Amino acid sequence: MDYKKIVKSRKLRIKILDFLSFIPDKMMLKIQYRIKMGRKLNLKNPQRYTEKLQWYKLYYKNPAMKSCVDKYEVRKYVTEKGYSRILNELYGIYNSPEEIDFEKLPNSFVIKDTLGGGGNSVILVKDKLKLDIEETKKQMNAWLKDVSRKSPGREWIYDNQKHRIIIEKLLIAENKEDLPDYKFFCFNGKPYCIYMMENYTLHHEKGVLGFLDTDFKLLPYYREDFKAMRNSPQKPENFEEMLKIAKILSKDFPHVRVDLYNINGKIVFGELTFFNASGYMKFKPDEFDFILGRKFELKSYKKVEK
């Protein structure tokens, strides 16, 4: 079932999920998994990566995860791990758009919701003189609403978190239409694979996606909702350093995706993601769901109920 075709408005889908917030998490995840994945969710003996992500949401409760998904607070975590040098330049952190002095900002910058994900929570400003400040404030205020709303995907790390606005340096890569990022899938501190998207800017449906191994060789797997990457991208010269960073930043968690940029040899931290696509992604071929699932070890972790 393609629920996005049935309910085309993202705002309406979120309102429906808000209305259904009274449904217990376990039951809601089973419903969502059935609708989005087209099969029953196995939580008693999960084998698939997408199933284990649902288990991870329900039963693994590491308080550090809440800080690590906040785009400002995660900077402290990265610094504690000894990697302050890879943090992007920070221009400011704000509780309200009214606190922002646009005159003091440089001509280009990026505005983000500290708890947001995807193009709906990012504003790229390439030329401040062309920026509609009032419209931008409206968009930022929309981010700040409903701070106590239960996460649509029942990702507890976002519940009751305070949304803020963070402004950082706009990263631009030479000779690139967009800024490719390197997403390291790490399990217990060991990067297993990387996935990259190219030519997608902020609209993922325009891009191509490929999974690569840690030798940077293209794997024969991709996501169903993206076009497949057919040619291996160029391996960064300092890729081994990126692997080292991913290992250190991921070692405290059973699973996390570590996102890094590499701009003309300069490594820049992106974000940490614990529930990739909220655990609702279809792979081609389907076996990759099981391959990733075998890397995601959960047996040694005790269930923690809310």
Side-chain angles (χ1 to χ4, degrees):
M1 180 191 298
D2 191 342
Y3 66 97
K4 290 184 179 180
K5 288 184 178 180
I6 298 172
V7 183
K8 295 181 180 180
S9 169
R10 182 175 182 274
K11 287 184 178 179
L12 180 56
R13 293 198 300 268
I14 290 176
K15 284 183 179 179
I16 292 171
L17 289 170
D18 278 347
F19 177 74
L20 299 174
S21 62
F22 66 90
I23 297 177
D25 290 349
K26 185 175 180 180
M27 183 182 296
M28 177 53 80
L29 291 181
K30 288 183 176 182
I31 293 170
Q32 289 185 355
Y33 196 84
R34 171 69 78 176
I35 292 173
K36 296 181 179 185
M37 304 300 288
R39 56 178 172 263
K40 184 179 179 180
L41 173 60
N42 181 356
L43 288 172
K44 290 184 178 180
N45 185 27
Q47 299 297 312
R48 293 174 176 269
Y49 172 68
T50 53
E51 291 176 329
K52 290 187 176 183
L53 280 176
Q54 309 311 320
W55 191 101
Y56 202 32
K57 290 180 193 178
L58 286 171
Y59 302 123
Y60 183 78
K61 301 294 191 298
N62 183 338
M65 295 165 73
K66 290 182 78 75
S67 297
C68 285
V69 296
D70 183 292
K71 291 178 175 57
Y72 178 70
E73 297 299 329
V74 72
R75 297 172 67 91
K76 299 175 186 177
Y77 177 81
V78 174
T79 298
E80 289 169 359
K81 295 297 181 182
Y83 283 107
S84 59
R85 67 181 182 274
I86 69 170
L87 292 171
N88 191 16
E89 185 175 351
L90 176 69
Y91 294 146
I93 178 76
Y94 311 93
N95 293 307
S96 164
E98 304 309 318
E99 296 178 4
I100 303 171
D101 187 342
F102 284 91
E103 290 187 3
K104 291 184 178 180
L105 291 172
N107 190 54
S108 64
F109 48 88
V110 59
I111 308 172
K112 301 177 185 178
D113 173 0
T114 53
L115 295 173
N120 295 315
S121 57
V122 177
I123 302 171
L124 301 180
V125 180
K126 296 181 180 180
D127 184 350
K128 184 173 66 174
L129 297 178
K130 297 178 180 179
L131 180 67
D132 186 329
I133 292 178
E134 291 309 310
E135 282 301 312
T136 301
K137 286 183 177 180
K138 286 181 182 178
Q139 186 170 345
M140 287 187 281
N141 276 317
W143 296 343
L144 302 177
K145 291 180 180 178
D146 301 324
V147 295
S148 63
R149 177 172 58 81
K150 183 178 280 291
S151 162
R154 302 303 173 96
E155 299 170 26
W156 65 273
I157 51 179
Y158 296 104
D159 293 349
N160 302 310
Q161 290 257 56
K162 182 180 179 181
H163 291 248
R164 291 175 292 172
I165 300 157
I166 186 170
I167 301 182
E168 297 177 323
K169 179 179 179 180
L170 179 64
L171 301 176
I172 300 175
E174 292 181 5
N175 304 318
K176 287 283 185 180
E177 180 184 342
D178 64 331
L179 187 66
D181 55 349
Y182 304 81
K183 302 175 185 292
F184 292 78
F185 278 57
C186 303
F187 301 93
N188 291 309
K190 296 179 181 179
Y192 171 68
C193 64
I194 307 101
Y195 92 66
M196 288 186 64
M197 290 180 284
E198 289 189 335
N199 302 320
Y200 67 99
T201 58
L202 289 180
H203 304 286
H204 289 179
E205 69 275 6
K206 295 181 180 179
V208 296
L209 180 146
F211 284 90
L212 303 103
D213 64 19
T214 52
D215 292 321
F216 220 72
K217 293 180 181 178
L218 194 62
L219 295 169
Y221 310 112
Y222 61 100
R223 276 175 53 173
E224 195 175 87
D225 51 340
F226 288 86
K227 295 177 183 177
M229 184 181 289
R230 301 300 181 187
N231 300 306
S232 294
Q234 184 175 353
K235 182 179 180 179
E237 290 185 5
N238 55 350
F239 181 69
E240 293 302 316
E241 177 65 14
M242 297 177 75
L243 275 176
K244 180 182 176 183
I245 292 169
K247 289 177 182 177
I248 291 174
L249 295 184
S250 66
K251 67 179 182 179
D252 293 342
F253 310 105
H255 170 53
V256 65
R257 197 189 77 201
V258 180
D259 293 4
L260 302 173
Y261 298 103
N262 195 318
I263 306 169
N264 305 317
K266 178 176 173 57
I267 300 170
V268 181
F269 174 76
E271 64 182 27
L272 298 181
T273 299
F274 294 98
F275 310 119
N276 187 66
S278 200
Y280 303 123
M281 69 213 84
K282 295 180 180 179
F283 299 104
K284 282 193 173 180
D286 184 56
E287 67 173 324
F288 196 52
D289 203 359
F290 291 96
I291 291 171
L292 287 177
R294 287 194 287 272
K295 296 294 177 180
F296 197 168
E297 176 57 57
L298 294 173
K299 291 181 180 179
S300 59
Y301 296 97
K302 184 180 178 180
K303 289 183 179 181
V304 178
E305 304 281 359
K306 270 191 176 181

